[in-house]
Amino acid sequence: MTAVAVVLMRDLFAVVMLTGIYSLLSASFFVVFDAVDVAFTEAAVGAGISTLLMLSTLTLTGRYAKESTQKPWLALAIVTVTGALLIYGTLDMPTIGSASAPIHQHVAPRYLNDSMQEIAVPNVVTSVLASYRGYDTLGESFVIFTAGIGVLALLMVLQRRRASDVDAHGPMHQHLILRIVAKILIPLILLFALYVQFHGDYGPGGGFQAGVIFAAAIILYSMLFGLSAARQTISQPLIFALSAVGVLLYGGVGVACMLLGGNYLDYDALAEDPVAGQHLGILLVELGVGITVASVMIIIFFTFNGRSLSERGRRR
Amino acid sequence: MNVLGLYNYWVVMVLMMLGFYIVISQGNLIKKIIGLSIFQASVFILYISMAKVAGGTAPILDESISTYSNPLPHVLILTAIVVGVATTALGLALVVRIRESYGTIEEDEIQAQDEEA
């Protein structure tokens, strides 16, 4: 598969492109294995955002990797032995698709059988994500938030000088067709992100995917019209605030549940009718996740590119 | 039949070992991070392939369907993918800073500079 080529190549640009393809392939694999929500996320994240991130890193660090000097035999031997052991270990595993595998025996039947009465959200992935395992998701949005802050702390450029004198227009400003097509596409992408956000109860989708798609639209805009134009449209303090607002919204829903007499993140307490409460809770929580994910992705992209702009300015 | 039904694990192991190999054998820090993300993707595939139930369908409830794949691994991996890209970004940010202070992202050159200092 493409992963093999990744090992062999030294042109990092080609490697990054191949990882994009690799992500897309795994996304289609996830569809085959019924994980539509996951495939959605992988396609948006792996083939879109992370490829872009890698590329913006390459503009900062240079394109070619050095020929490896050390002998790869030791590494190869370690890898072969570990791999052989792991494959030996799989011999006791249940075969693929077998319904009697231990993984299908414990909590999953309850989710599948009872979630319609308890939560009344057809997409079980959403109800498990936001309600049954709400704590996990809360933790994960905090991790994303923290990673965003970490990137900021490492790469933030103090904006003493306007970036506009370095790069008044985007790197692709001269491509008229791209600009016009993007102008038509960006509102549609944003609209689609909102659809994914609020339709997550019924079909594949939810806060994580919507956040990533939303961020992708903004990133597309900033690639074509320049970072400074994008920064004027969406002011940075606003995104910083929004990334915190998302996490706080999630946490706040939990606190609201407690104030209304339930446990933390027990949405039953949010309304008279437990099912309506669940709906409201899931909606708010997914919204919080979506806001955090979108703004953190935008922050990460802006800081990476702001860095490369200021680098270029320094070299001149 | 029994052994052939395990092929999903073998694909995962091969991918995982490829990622592992990149991480330990390559000196270039960006390639190391790419290796890590290949490793990570192999774990995703492991989870998702275990969630599959033969004859099942995507876990979106409908009255005409009786078998679904297991939704729990989907949830775990869904969030893990987004968390993964956030942590990858953090790693790349570190690489950028290393490049700025050392002027290189090759592991051996960084080590040589450290020994000189």
Side-chain angles (χ1 to χ4, degrees), chain A:
Chain A
M1 280 233 295
T2 40
V4 181
V6 172
V7 184
L8 300 175
M9 293 236 246
R10 283 190 305 123
D11 184 347
L12 289 175
F13 178 73
V15 170
V16 169
M17 285 305 158
L18 281 174
T19 47
I21 297 172
Y22 173 77
S23 284
L24 202 58
L25 284 178
S26 34
S28 34
F29 171 87
F30 292 150
V31 176
V32 174
F33 278 80
D34 298 340
V36 277
D37 279 279
V38 184
F40 207 159
T41 322
E42 177 71 36
V45 167
I49 303 276
S50 68
T51 311
L52 275 177
L53 267 180
M54 296 270 184
L55 286 181
S56 15
T57 316
L58 287 191
T59 59
L60 287 168
T61 54
R63 178 168 168 179
Y64 291 95
K66 212 177 55 155
E67 184 93 56
S68 180
T69 44
Q70 67 217 58
K71 291 273 178 289
W73 300 119
L74 180 63
L76 208 57
I78 294 176
V79 165
T80 319
V81 171
T82 321
L85 281 177
L86 283 173
I87 286 182
Y88 174 69
T90 62
L91 292 180
D92 285 340
M93 299 284 274
T95 51
I96 186 166
S98 107
S100 58
I103 184 176
H104 304 306
Q105 304 306 317
H106 298 292
V107 283
R110 190 197 133 118
Y111 292 154
L112 289 172
N113 296 329
D114 298 347
S115 73
M116 208 57 192
Q117 284 85 52
E118 288 177 356
I119 297 180
V121 164
N123 188 352
V124 187
V125 174
T126 303
S127 57
V128 175
L129 178 92
S131 185
Y132 289 117
R133 300 192 68 87
Y135 287 106
D136 282 13
T137 314
L138 178 64
E140 259 135 16
S141 16
F142 271 108
V143 172
I144 293 169
F145 179 63
T146 317
I149 293 185
V151 170
L152 264 185
L154 285 167
L155 291 187
M156 172 108 112
V157 192
L158 291 177
Q159 284 187 304
R160 257 169 274 142
R161 182 176 40 80
R162 300 295 302 159
S164 52
D165 58 287
V166 187
D167 184 335
H169 308 295
M172 297 186 210
H173 189 75
Q174 63 275 31
H175 295 296
L176 183 66
I177 298 178
L178 276 184
R179 262 192 307 154
I180 291 180
V181 170
K183 258 188 190 159
I184 302 170
L185 275 181
I186 288 170
L188 291 179
I189 298 176
L190 291 176
L191 200 63
F192 181 62
L194 291 178
Y195 167 79
V196 170
Q197 170 83 53
F198 293 111
H199 204 259
D201 295 5
Y202 304 100
F208 283 96
Q209 294 95 327
V212 173
I213 295 172
F214 201 86
I218 308 280
I219 289 170
L220 179 64
Y221 179 80
S222 77
M223 279 167 70
L224 286 164
F225 298 94
L227 195 61
S228 38
R231 274 187 177 157
Q232 273 166 13
T233 319
I234 320 137
S235 75
Q236 267 190 309
L238 179 69
I239 321 178
F240 295 160
L242 276 181
S243 65
V245 164
V247 182
L248 286 177
L249 179 60
Y250 201 140
V253 170
V255 175
C257 296
M258 275 167 75
L259 290 180
L260 290 168
N263 289 327
Y264 191 72
L265 290 178
D266 176 11
Y267 310 134
D268 286 357
L270 281 180
E272 296 284 309
D273 177 23
V275 172
Q278 290 285 350
H279 266 285
L280 186 63
I282 290 178
L283 188 73
L284 289 175
V285 160
E286 290 269 16
L287 194 62
V289 170
I291 292 173
T292 305
V293 170
S295 42
V296 166
M297 294 298 154
I298 295 170
I299 288 176
I300 290 175
F301 185 79
F302 276 11
T303 23
F304 265 89
N305 275 33
R307 193 78 178 184
S308 65
L309 280 187
S310 70
E311 276 281 291
R312 229 178 294 160
R314 215 178 299 160
R315 267 181 226 148
R316 266 185 204 177

Side-chain angles (χ1 to χ4, degrees), chain B residues 25-43:
Chain B
S25 74
Q26 303 281 330
N28 187 294
L29 293 179
I30 292 190
K31 271 195 106 173
K32 274 186 196 283
I33 288 186
I34 291 175
L36 267 185
S37 56
I38 289 179
F39 195 108
Q40 197 180 25
S42 80
V43 178

